[in-house]
Amino acid sequence: APVRVEVDAARALAGATIVVNAIPTQFVRAAWRDAARHVAAGVPLVSVTKGIEDSTLLRPSEIIAQAVPCPSGARRAVAVLSGPTIAAELARRLPATMVSAADDHALAERVQRAFSMPWLRIYTNGDGAGVEGAGAAKNVGALAAGMIDGLGLGSNAKRALLARGLAEIVRLGVAVGARPETFFG
C-alpha cells in the first residue's frame, strides 16, 4: 500500500489492522493521548521505537500498552519489531534481519508475515523486554564505540568495549526480566 501523510488521527487509523508506532520514546505517551481512542479493539500496535522513558523507566511497548488501552479495558496487544537495521539501507532494499517479539507467539508471527520482504528476514521471539532492552542498550554501545574512534583509542579499546559492554547489557536485561539468550541474537 502507498504511504500517505495524514494529520487527522481518526482518518489515519480508520480501518487499520496493524498500527506501527515509530514515535521517539519521550513523546510516545503524549502523542497517543488523543489518538488512542481511534484505534479499534483487537488492533495490535507494533513498536519500532528504541529507548526508555525518562520519567518512568518504561520501555516503549509498556508505554504504548498504558497509553492505548482497548475500548473493552483489556490489555492492548503490542509487538516489538527491532533490528539491527539502518533505515536508509532498508529503503534501498539491502539485505537485513529483524526480530518480531511479542508475548503472544501468533502476534509475533503475524508481524513477521506482514513486514517480511525478499531482502528482509524477520525472526520471532517471545522476549519483548529483551529485544527492547538490547535495542536501547545497543545505542549506548554504538555511541561509546564512536567516542573510542573519535579519541583514536584503537581497536583493542573497541573490542574491550564490545566484550565488557555485552556482559553488562546482559546483566541489566536479566535484572529487568529479560532472557540472557535474547541479547546474543
Side-chain angles (χ1 to χ4, degrees):
V3 174
R4 72 177 200 276
V5 175
E6 181 63 65
V7 296
D8 180 80
R11 278 197 303 247
L13 297 168
T17 56
I18 294 178
V19 176
V20 176
N21 178 85
I23 301 163
T25 302
Q26 304 314 316
F27 304 101
V28 169
R29 192 177 301 279
W32 282 107
R33 193 166 288 124
D34 294 324
R37 69 178 187 264
H38 301 293
V39 180
V43 173
L45 272 84
V46 178
S47 177
V48 297
T49 301
K50 291 183 175 71
I52 302 293
E53 188 175 43
D54 291 339
S55 61
T56 65
L57 302 180
L58 293 177
R59 299 182 321 271
S61 66
E62 294 172 312
I63 302 165
I64 293 165
Q66 287 180 358
V68 190
C70 287
S72 66
R75 183 173 168 87
R76 174 75 60 185
V78 181
V80 175
L81 184 62
S82 189
T85 56
I86 296 170
E89 290 188 8
L90 287 175
R92 291 183 5 231
R93 300 179 178 190
L94 295 176
T97 62
M98 297 182 85
V99 62
S100 168
D103 293 339
D104 176 3
H105 187 69
L107 176 56
E109 288 181 330
R110 180 177 172 193
V111 171
Q112 178 189 44
R113 286 189 306 275
F115 292 92
S116 288
M117 298 288 159
W119 63 90
L120 178 61
R121 168 77 167 122
I122 300 176
Y123 296 88
T124 60
N125 187 302
D127 184 14
V131 170
E132 283 184 305
K138 176 264 314 166
N139 288 345
V140 174
L143 289 170
M147 290 178 206
I148 287 171
D149 285 345
L151 293 169
L153 298 177
S155 294
N156 284 335
K158 195 181 302 185
R159 285 179 174 89
L161 167 74
L162 290 173
R164 295 307 319 145
L166 182 56
E168 294 296 324
I169 289 168
V170 171
R171 273 200 283 280
L172 175 63
V174 169
V176 298
R179 296 191 310 247
E181 61 270 16
T182 300
F183 295 83
F184 298 103

